[in-house]
PDB file of all heavy atoms in Angstrom:
ATOM      1  N   THR A 738     -18.998 123.927 172.505  1.00 50.00           N
ATOM      2  CA  THR A 738     -20.120 123.154 173.036  1.00 50.00           C
ATOM      3  C   THR A 738     -20.744 122.244 171.981  1.00 50.00           C
ATOM      4  O   THR A 738     -21.265 121.197 172.308  1.00 50.00           O
ATOM      5  CB  THR A 738     -21.203 124.081 173.611  1.00 50.00           C
ATOM      6  OG1 THR A 738     -21.637 124.983 172.590  1.00 50.00           O
ATOM      7  CG2 THR A 738     -20.668 124.860 174.799  1.00 50.00           C
ATOM      8  N   ILE A 745     -21.610 133.795 160.009  1.00 97.00           N
ATOM      9  CA  ILE A 745     -22.761 134.635 159.709  1.00 97.00           C
ATOM     10  C   ILE A 745     -22.906 134.685 158.194  1.00 97.00           C
ATOM     11  O   ILE A 745     -21.935 134.922 157.468  1.00 97.00           O
ATOM     12  CB  ILE A 745     -22.635 136.038 160.343  1.00 97.00           C
ATOM     13  CG1 ILE A 745     -23.930 136.793 160.196  1.00 97.00           C
ATOM     14  CG2 ILE A 745     -21.473 136.811 159.787  1.00 97.00           C
ATOM     15  CD1 ILE A 745     -24.103 137.912 161.187  1.00 97.00           C
ATOM     16  N   MET A 759     -16.920 135.574 164.661  1.00 95.00           N
ATOM     17  CA  MET A 759     -16.047 136.254 165.615  1.00 95.00           C
ATOM     18  C   MET A 759     -15.437 137.533 165.044  1.00 95.00           C
ATOM     19  O   MET A 759     -14.996 138.396 165.793  1.00 95.00           O
ATOM     20  CB  MET A 759     -14.936 135.318 166.100  1.00 95.00           C
ATOM     21  CG  MET A 759     -15.469 134.102 166.861  1.00 95.00           C
ATOM     22  SD  MET A 759     -16.493 134.529 168.279  1.00 95.00           S
ATOM     23  CE  MET A 759     -15.253 135.201 169.363  1.00 95.00           C
ATOM     24  N   GLY A 766     -27.872 149.411 159.886  1.00 95.00           N
ATOM     25  CA  GLY A 766     -28.519 149.821 158.644  1.00 95.00           C
ATOM     26  C   GLY A 766     -27.592 150.669 157.789  1.00 95.00           C
ATOM     27  O   GLY A 766     -26.582 151.188 158.261  1.00 95.00           O
ATOM     28  N   ARG A 787     -19.542 156.119 166.246  1.00 93.00           N
ATOM     29  CA  ARG A 787     -19.269 156.467 167.642  1.00 93.00           C
ATOM     30  C   ARG A 787     -17.895 157.112 167.817  1.00 93.00           C
ATOM     31  O   ARG A 787     -17.109 156.735 168.675  1.00 93.00           O
ATOM     32  CB  ARG A 787     -19.420 155.248 168.546  1.00 93.00           C
ATOM     33  CG  ARG A 787     -20.866 154.768 168.631  1.00 93.00           C
ATOM     34  CD  ARG A 787     -21.036 153.568 169.532  1.00 93.00           C
ATOM     35  NE  ARG A 787     -20.364 152.368 169.071  1.00 93.00           N
ATOM     36  CZ  ARG A 787     -20.788 151.587 168.084  1.00 93.00           C
ATOM     37  NH1 ARG A 787     -21.910 151.876 167.458  1.00 93.00           N
ATOM     38  NH2 ARG A 787     -20.127 150.502 167.745  1.00 93.00           N
ATOM     39  N   ASP A 795     -17.912 148.365 149.409  1.00 96.00           N
ATOM     40  CA  ASP A 795     -18.951 147.682 148.633  1.00 96.00           C
ATOM     41  C   ASP A 795     -18.432 146.274 148.369  1.00 96.00           C
ATOM     42  O   ASP A 795     -17.579 146.064 147.509  1.00 96.00           O
ATOM     43  CB  ASP A 795     -19.193 148.436 147.329  1.00 96.00           C
ATOM     44  CG  ASP A 795     -20.211 147.770 146.426  1.00 96.00           C
ATOM     45  OD1 ASP A 795     -20.677 146.646 146.734  1.00 96.00           O
ATOM     46  OD2 ASP A 795     -20.552 148.377 145.393  1.00 96.00           O
ATOM     47  N   LEU A 796     -18.906 145.307 149.152  1.00 95.00           N
ATOM     48  CA  LEU A 796     -18.390 143.941 149.038  1.00 95.00           C
ATOM     49  C   LEU A 796     -18.679 143.349 147.662  1.00 95.00           C
ATOM     50  O   LEU A 796     -17.873 142.583 147.139  1.00 95.00           O
ATOM     51  CB  LEU A 796     -18.954 143.055 150.152  1.00 95.00           C
ATOM     52  CG  LEU A 796     -18.195 141.764 150.412  1.00 95.00           C
ATOM     53  CD1 LEU A 796     -16.717 142.007 150.695  1.00 95.00           C
ATOM     54  CD2 LEU A 796     -18.823 140.986 151.537  1.00 95.00           C
ATOM     55  N   ARG A 799     -15.969 144.665 145.461  1.00 92.00           N
ATOM     56  CA  ARG A 799     -14.673 144.103 145.878  1.00 92.00           C
ATOM     57  C   ARG A 799     -14.521 142.659 145.436  1.00 92.00           C
ATOM     58  O   ARG A 799     -13.430 142.205 145.120  1.00 92.00           O
ATOM     59  CB  ARG A 799     -14.519 144.193 147.404  1.00 92.00           C
ATOM     60  CG  ARG A 799     -13.202 143.662 147.899  1.00 92.00           C
ATOM     61  CD  ARG A 799     -12.046 144.495 147.350  1.00 92.00           C
ATOM     62  NE  ARG A 799     -10.778 143.909 147.679  1.00 92.00           N
ATOM     63  CZ  ARG A 799      -9.892 143.478 146.782  1.00 92.00           C
ATOM     64  NH1 ARG A 799     -10.152 143.583 145.486  1.00 92.00           N
ATOM     65  NH2 ARG A 799      -8.755 142.968 147.157  1.00 92.00           N
ATOM     66  N   MET A 802     -18.052 141.606 141.432  1.00 90.00           N
ATOM     67  CA  MET A 802     -19.422 141.562 140.936  1.00 90.00           C
ATOM     68  C   MET A 802     -19.873 142.990 140.600  1.00 90.00           C
ATOM     69  O   MET A 802     -19.120 143.943 140.787  1.00 90.00           O
ATOM     70  CB  MET A 802     -20.327 140.927 141.996  1.00 90.00           C
ATOM     71  CG  MET A 802     -19.916 139.493 142.317  1.00 90.00           C
ATOM     72  SD  MET A 802     -20.544 138.817 143.869  1.00 90.00           S
ATOM     73  CE  MET A 802     -22.250 139.176 143.831  1.00 90.00           C
ATOM     74  N   LYS A 803     -21.107 143.124 140.139  1.00 93.00           N
ATOM     75  CA  LYS A 803     -21.661 144.434 139.803  1.00 93.00           C
ATOM     76  C   LYS A 803     -21.719 145.297 141.069  1.00 93.00           C
ATOM     77  O   LYS A 803     -22.206 144.835 142.106  1.00 93.00           O
ATOM     78  CB  LYS A 803     -23.070 144.254 139.233  1.00 93.00           C
ATOM     79  CG  LYS A 803     -23.745 145.535 138.859  1.00 93.00           C
ATOM     80  CD  LYS A 803     -25.150 145.288 138.341  1.00 93.00           C
ATOM     81  CE  LYS A 803     -25.862 146.616 138.178  1.00 93.00           C
ATOM     82  NZ  LYS A 803     -27.300 146.448 138.184  1.00 93.00           N
ATOM     83  N   LYS A 819      -7.954 141.839 161.021  1.00 88.00           N
ATOM     84  CA  LYS A 819      -6.715 142.055 161.777  1.00 88.00           C
ATOM     85  C   LYS A 819      -6.944 143.235 162.713  1.00 88.00           C
ATOM     86  O   LYS A 819      -7.847 143.194 163.519  1.00 88.00           O
ATOM     87  CB  LYS A 819      -5.515 142.211 160.860  1.00 88.00           C
ATOM     88  CG  LYS A 819      -5.131 140.899 160.208  1.00 88.00           C
ATOM     89  CD  LYS A 819      -3.689 140.862 159.827  1.00 88.00           C
ATOM     90  CE  LYS A 819      -3.394 139.490 159.249  1.00 88.00           C
ATOM     91  NZ  LYS A 819      -2.037 139.259 159.014  1.00 88.00           N
ATOM     92  N   ALA A 829     -28.219 141.850 152.542  1.00 96.00           N
ATOM     93  CA  ALA A 829     -28.968 141.445 153.735  1.00 96.00           C
ATOM     94  C   ALA A 829     -28.198 140.367 154.473  1.00 96.00           C
ATOM     95  O   ALA A 829     -27.462 139.592 153.862  1.00 96.00           O
ATOM     96  CB  ALA A 829     -30.350 140.907 153.350  1.00 96.00           C
ATOM     97  N   SER A 831     -28.596 136.906 156.374  1.00 93.00           N
ATOM     98  CA  SER A 831     -29.636 135.890 156.257  1.00 93.00           C
ATOM     99  C   SER A 831     -29.652 134.862 157.383  1.00 93.00           C
ATOM    100  O   SER A 831     -30.710 134.338 157.698  1.00 93.00           O
ATOM    101  CB  SER A 831     -29.521 135.165 154.911  1.00 93.00           C
ATOM    102  OG  SER A 831     -28.215 134.678 154.712  1.00 93.00           O
ATOM    103  N   PRO A 845     -14.310 124.804 144.269  1.00 76.00           N
ATOM    104  CA  PRO A 845     -14.140 124.044 143.018  1.00 76.00           C
ATOM    105  C   PRO A 845     -12.934 124.520 142.206  1.00 76.00           C
ATOM    106  O   PRO A 845     -12.599 125.708 142.211  1.00 76.00           O
ATOM    107  CB  PRO A 845     -15.442 124.325 142.250  1.00 76.00           C
ATOM    108  CG  PRO A 845     -16.416 124.783 143.274  1.00 76.00           C
ATOM    109  CD  PRO A 845     -15.615 125.447 144.352  1.00 76.00           C
TER     110      PRO A 845
END
Side-chain angles (χ1 to χ4, degrees):
T738 57
I745 189 158
M759 297 303 290
R787 293 180 295 284
D795 177 354
L796 198 55
R799 181 63 187 118
M802 299 162 49
K803 180 182 171 202
K819 288 206 177 188
S831 53

